[in-house]
Amino acid sequence: MAGMLDAVDQRTKLVGENRLELLMFRLGGMQTFAINVFKVQEVVQLPRLNLMPHRHPSVAGVTHFRNRTIPVIDLSESIGMRPIDRSQPCNLIVTEYNNTVQGFMVGEVDRIINMNWNEILPPPDGTGRQHYLTAITRVNERLVEIIDVEKVLAVISPYDTSVSADVIDTKLLSQATDLEVLVVDDSSVGLSQCQSTLDFMGIKVHTATDGKKGLEKLKGWADQGEIVPEKLLMLITDAEMPEMDGYRLTREIREDPRLKDLYIVLHTSLSGSFNKAMVQKVGCDDFLSKFQPDKLAGVIQERIRDVMARK
């Protein structure tokens, strides 16, 4: 099973080409689910679990994995389905999100598939599990539901979106008025965290739920004669999104003379070391792991200082 992930290093070549690879699996029934391979460290048979007192109902227990203790989440129960039947063969998908490692207990693991982001679509209205889906796709006429892991983790352990008082430079913010930022993210949790921090700082927020919609919004402003790099303090974009990912969005912006000078921050829960390397490859200006409101506020204030120094 672990051999499925031996070639992950080679998959960085997909970045900037609007492609991704999905790890597909089942949760006990016939429906197929998936998550992005870049968030996966390893896939193993479910090891022995130890129970934790006062644990969240979706946390099946903890296990010792490669010299560390990690929580194991019943992914089926966490998205509102029946708990995984552990009398049947089960697997553990070990993942890294926002520099934390956790395992997701699933049933049968299917395979890894290479796809284009324009084949990944937002879930349709009325989808029963839409609350926990970030996208859907079809593989060999089979519907595949892509789980919003950020949402799952936020429900189990809610993120703190407050900004520490000692981080905010009130004098700086009082001098910098009429600031606007575009946030592009397909995750409602990611959008909400950015919105909360920017609202607290008195910055007007525009949003888009995928790279394609974000690019359309930017080009729309440019078509109306607005100087977009001056209109926006920055663009904050997620990396993985339906239809167009953040890397392709950045490339499209850099190739448009009207948009190319826009300041772009990659804001993602994917592996930090991986994304720092990709910042240079695709032309972003900065990288920030998600759900760190103090660091987000710091990046914004540093950008404000740079802009004010140039005036």
Side-chain angles (χ1 to χ4, degrees), residues 23-25 35 39-44 75 91-95 102-106 109:
L23 173 64
M24 302 195 302
F25 53 88
I35 61 174
K39 293 178 176 176
V40 178
Q41 289 191 347
E42 196 164 344
V43 181
V44 297
L75 192 52
N91 291 286
L92 185 69
I93 302 176
V94 182
T95 65
Q102 54 279 310
F104 290 103
M105 181 170 62
V106 302
V109 172

Side-chain angles (χ1 to χ4, degrees), residues 218-233:
L218 292 168
K219 287 182 178 291
W221 285 326
D223 290 343
Q224 294 168 12
E226 297 202 58
I227 304 175
V228 177
E230 295 181 7
K231 172 183 175 65
L232 297 178
L233 178 70

Side-chain angles (χ1 to χ4, degrees), residues 178-227:
D178 301 321
L179 298 177
E180 301 179 39
V181 168
L182 173 61
V183 180
V184 183
D185 199 323
D186 64 315
S187 170
S188 60
V189 178
L191 280 178
S192 176
Q193 189 244 316
C194 280
Q195 180 94 46
S196 176
T197 300
L198 293 166
D199 284 347
F200 181 80
M201 300 177 74
I203 297 173
K204 182 178 180 180
V205 182
H206 305 275
T207 62
T209 53
D210 62 57
K212 183 180 178 181
K213 292 185 178 69
L215 185 61
E216 288 171 350
K217 185 164 289 192
L218 292 168
K219 287 182 178 291
W221 285 326
D223 290 343
Q224 294 168 12
E226 297 202 58
I227 304 175

Side-chain angles (χ1 to χ4, degrees), residues 233-245:
L233 178 70
M234 65 175 62
L235 163 69
I236 301 174
T237 181
D238 188 16
E240 51 171 351
M241 296 177 287
E243 299 201 76
M244 181 185 292
D245 64 20

